Amino acid sequence: MSANLLKESGPREVFCGLTSIVWLHRRMPDAFFLVVGSRTCAHLIQSAAGVMIFAEPRFGTAILSERDLAGLADAHDELKRVVRDLLARRPEIRTLFLVGSCPSEVIKLDLARASEQLNQEMEGRVRVVNYSGSGIETTFTQGEDGALSALVPMLPTSTERQLLLVGTLADAVEDRLITLFKRLGIDTVRSLPPRQSTDLPPVGPGTKVLLCQPFLSDTTRRLRDRGAEILPAPYPLGAEGSRLWMEAAAQAWDINAAQIRATLDPLMERARLALEPHRQKLAGKRIFLLPESQLELPLARFLQRECGMDLVEVGTPYLNRDLMRSELELLPDGTRVMEGQHVEQQLDRVRDARPDLVVCGMGLANPLEAEGIATKWSIELVFSPIHGIDQAGELAELFSRPLHRHQLLAAGRQC
Amino acid sequence: MDLTLWTYEGPPHVGAMRIAASMKGVHYVLHAPQGDTYADLLFTMIERRGQRPPVTYTTFQARDLGGDTAELVKRHVREAVERFEPDALLVGESCTAELIQDQPGALACGMGLNLPVVTLELPAYSKKENWGAAETLYQLVRGLLKQQPANPGAHNPTAWKEEQRRPRVNLLGPSLLGFRCRDDVLEVRKLLDRHGIEVAVVMPLDASVADVMRLPDADVNVCLYPEIAESSCSWLERTFGQPFTRTVPIGVGATTDFLAELRALLGMEPPASDEGAQQSRLPWYSESVDSTYLTGKRVFIFGDGTHVLAAARIARRELGFEVVGLGTYSREMARPVRAKAKELGLEALISDDYLAVEAAMAEAAPELVLGTQMERHSAKRLGIPCAVISTPMHVQDVPARYSPQMGWEGANVIFDTWVHPLMMGLEEHLIGMFRHDFEFVDGHQSHLGHLGGLQSGQPEPNAAPAMTAVAGDVSGETTLTWTADGEAELKKIPFFVRGKVRRNTETYAREQGRGQIDSETLYDAKAHFSA
Ligand code: SF4
Ligand code: SF4
């Protein structure tokens, strides 16, 4: 790999791990995410969750007050009281995630112990799990890593030969991928997280893992410890990446090349057609990815190789070289990959480079638009069904649309 | 520990950001972890601003905690001052930094910076956003003005006469993320200009540090948003002798009173008593025959203190509504809201639990809800029309068009925005009723449409207000069933009062020990409750 790997530190502008709740709660409708934190934490998830909340959100915050800070022992009791109230009001909850925040970490509120005690009290009616989504330890998508790795110890053990897809996918995308794996000849495909929080997949020596998302370091480590094998592959974004990802599984199942070609070639051809109109809009355009979701490397790879874009800079909040190896190998020589953040310096570089498109967090998008630079929100990429060969066109569209819009408006200004 | 699924106010440092971001040349260094930077999107997305708020977050991480976080704070202060060259610096901390006790304010003050530094202490575990905004404004005003000579006894608000100039006032309180503040400022400026009154400084919105220094030059301060400006206004009064206005000019009556109060403070003649009727359409629209159907509409009001107080007055005195619920999440405004509720024969709901608000709303069974975006959602679930009158802000509350709440034009805007959902409800009902009528073409209703509808023998919607004395829910005893005929009759009732009629009828049926509800029961109940 010969990307130009750089590092930067300074003021960051990235969501904390609490934000992952916003998509995790949709994936597992029988789960509830209770943040143990401050008014800031409550305000963050409310604001990040599309600003207005649904009828009955499956997440909430137990807000620490001065009283809780004064007496830690009481804080534990208070937390248990809040949990009991919550479970009484929402009897349909099957899994309760206690999510640690900066304040709860700093005052050393022992959520592991609280979960343990609550688990005993609940006698299996509800499973209580804990992880940290705090901003002093995790960024944005790392919250999902925390939630999933907290589930790993609960997974039953099995030596069954199976493919385990790890990382949240849109339900429709997941269905489609499972169909395709079946066509290839892989019959047992399971997912973590499951659609029902109680429907936990087993894991063990027969398990081969494909990571659907690149931000799952802890989960990966724990799955390995349980005997699972992680199949190295790029991530299933774009036609090429998705194909290599599926092929990694096919090879592990010793499926012959002809079968793979017969299954995937037609999809690739269709994806090529779907990509073409977007490729026309995107080719030769310059893109700058600010660090946020950890999807930056796979996206950059897709945008460069399949859409013909030029990569000005690819930021990433942190770089796990092991999990990103296959992606780094596909990036063109000398690509500037910037790990960490100094948001002001990065914005200076954006202004100097005047790229055609910037991928960034929600707080930065409008200010950049006001400077005449088209943007794409990172968070949208975590929400949208973009995985798989069939979705390559949709994925490209997410990037061509802001450019197209800028063109339309520029044309409008001339008449 | 409180369980919150949704909150009306952010933490106090978000209030401080509102002040910093509203002003020019003020920068805020906030000791906070990276996730707290979400607050930027309140400004750049909800308010759709083209600039980031002027905030530098230290974004400390767990690994910094063992080391020198003090050095980290100083580095960020230094960088922020170099990069942004502000005229004044605010230094504060968010909830997490409060726990680690680095005292960033003291650190910054010790750095020998060549600019005013205002230290903010905003207790994150006991206070909220509006309090934080008020405190920040106050600390900023006090911090910047404390060197100025003060002689409160010498201030003469009528000095403009001898000095042969126009009277001069400051407008205090409008800020970013405040409900329609930008438009309110324009409207109040227009209003004052008609009265020959000059606006010296508007603060915090668009005020510079130099503007703050000019605050004491005004004759009177206008306190536009008490939540945010009252503490500053009263400090200015104590320190410089500047009196300030208490009336917030929202609605025709309040605008009239406001003008009278301000002119009296300035030693001017009282204003013409019919100015409101001349300048605003609200009084005439409200009198016009088309508004008859608004008579006694039952409204439930919840939001920030300033806007609910104004709404209660307008609802009752200017639109002829009946206020059946009043409350606020602004604990700082609990006293006046309680007093207002008492005046209306109600008990105020002071709560920041939206579920409690929803329950109170369901209980009051109003025909219109005036609330926040959250009450809009709750009202939708209950099938009640709703207009939004208060923060918290939603991108929908930042319209592209001019849409003030204050002054004469504000009264017009309020008339439209409140009456519209009621009309929509009526219209929806009519559309349902005339769906099979060959003459009826969707979307082509004359203004008399509703009369036609009401005369055709349906229970008219404004017969409902009489049915108010709903007893508390006596659930669990008799199981009630609606007969097909009862259901059919119920369906004829406009959807926005249907819920209440259903409840009343069920209460009545229970009281009467009837297990089945048919159309007769419904009419009996109607007669019972209007008796
Ligand atoms: S950064 Fe920490 S304090 Fe801030 S919202 Fe995230 S978890 Fe809460
Ligand atoms: S239709 Fe009526 S109830 Fe629904 S949001 Fe609009 S105003 Fe509110």
Side-chain angles (χ1 to χ4, degrees), chain B residues 368-369 375-377 379-380 383-388 417 420-422 424-425 428 495:
Chain B
L368 175 67
V369 170
E375 282 66 52
R376 186 176 66 84
H377 282 266
K380 205 184 246 172
I384 306 168
C386 171
V388 174
T417 43
H420 179 76
L422 282 169
M424 295 288 281
E428 207 155 310
F495 76 88

Side-chain angles (χ1 to χ4, degrees), chain A residues 16 18 40-41 44 101-103 133-135, chain B residues 33 35-36 95-96:
Chain A
C16 61
L18 296 187
T40 313
C41 309
L44 159 89
S101 68
C102 306
S134 84
Chain B
D36 293 8
C95 51
T96 308

Side-chain angles (χ1 to χ4, degrees), chain B residues 7-312:
Chain B
T7 151
Y8 290 98
E9 286 182 79
H13 71 259
V14 166
M17 283 179 70
R18 286 172 57 183
I19 304 301
S22 297
M23 293 183 63
K24 295 194 193 114
V26 173
H27 197 88
Y28 184 20
V29 174
L30 182 61
H31 196 24
Q34 62 186 346
D36 293 8
T37 60
Y38 82 88
D40 282 7
L41 74 85
L42 304 171
F43 299 89
T44 65
M45 281 184 56
I46 297 187
E47 199 139 29
R48 227 191 295 248
R49 296 252 301 170
Q51 302 117 45
R52 293 161 69 205
V55 181
T56 296
Y57 305 83
T58 61
T59 60
F60 60 87
Q61 294 173 279
R63 61 167 182 264
D64 299 319
L65 288 182
D68 200 352
T69 37
E71 194 41 53
L72 183 87
V73 171
K74 288 199 250 175
R75 195 174 77 227
H76 281 82
V77 168
R78 212 175 296 120
E79 270 194 40
V81 170
E82 273 166 26
R83 177 175 282 267
F84 301 103
E85 302 177 346
D87 302 320
L89 193 70
L90 297 173
V91 182
E93 53 198 355
S94 78
C95 51
T96 308
E98 189 181 327
L99 296 174
I100 58 177
Q101 297 180 326
D102 280 329
Q103 287 165 331
L107 290 172
C109 288
M111 287 173 66
L113 298 170
N114 197 13
L115 80 168
V117 177
V118 176
T119 299
L120 300 176
E121 283 187 29
L122 308 173
Y125 296 91
S126 56
K127 300 289 189 195
K128 290 181 284 187
E129 177 180 333
N130 279 334
W131 185 90
E135 179 67 10
T136 302
L137 188 67
Y138 164 69
Q139 293 296 347
L140 194 59
V141 167
R142 208 186 62 152
L144 291 173
L145 288 176
K146 65 180 176 223
Q147 312 291 5
Q148 290 211 7
N151 182 1
H155 183 83
N156 174 13
T158 63
W160 57 276
K161 295 183 187 170
E162 297 99 72
E163 291 170 19
Q164 299 197 327
R165 57 170 173 84
R166 302 213 295 170
R168 203 158 51 208
V169 301
N170 300 317
L171 306 184
L172 297 178
S175 72
L176 295 180
L177 294 177
F179 199 73
R180 308 287 162 81
C181 281
R182 186 179 309 273
D183 293 349
D184 281 348
V185 168
L186 285 177
E187 192 58 26
V188 170
R189 273 181 186 280
K190 254 189 255 174
L191 184 72
L192 296 178
D193 193 51
R194 283 180 55 84
H195 287 256
I197 300 165
E198 212 169 86
V199 172
V201 175
V202 178
M203 180 170 179
L205 202 61
D206 293 334
S208 64
V209 170
D211 289 332
V212 181
M213 307 313 278
R214 296 195 292 125
L215 284 173
D217 299 342
D219 302 306
V220 167
N221 287 316
V222 170
C223 181
L224 279 187
Y225 299 94
E227 272 98 337
I228 290 174
E230 200 172 76
S231 48
S232 299
C233 286
S234 66
W235 183 80
L236 289 166
E237 185 172 59
R238 289 197 307 278
T239 312
F240 299 104
Q242 287 172 301
F244 68 96
T245 54
R246 268 37 185 207
T247 319
V248 179
I250 302 181
V252 173
T255 301
T256 307
D257 289 356
F258 164 78
L259 288 171
E261 184 189 7
L262 180 59
R263 290 183 66 113
L265 287 175
L266 289 165
M268 300 167 84
E269 299 285 302
S273 60
D274 65 345
E275 183 173 331
Q278 297 302 321
Q279 297 298 319
S280 173
R281 290 195 191 95
L282 183 146
W284 166 239
Y285 271 40
S286 192
E287 273 163 38
S288 75
V289 69
D290 234 357
S291 293
T292 309
Y293 78 102
L294 298 175
T295 311
K297 283 272 180 263
R298 299 158 43 82
V299 293
F300 181 94
I301 304 174
F302 191 87
D304 68 35
T306 296
H307 289 92
V308 300
L309 287 169

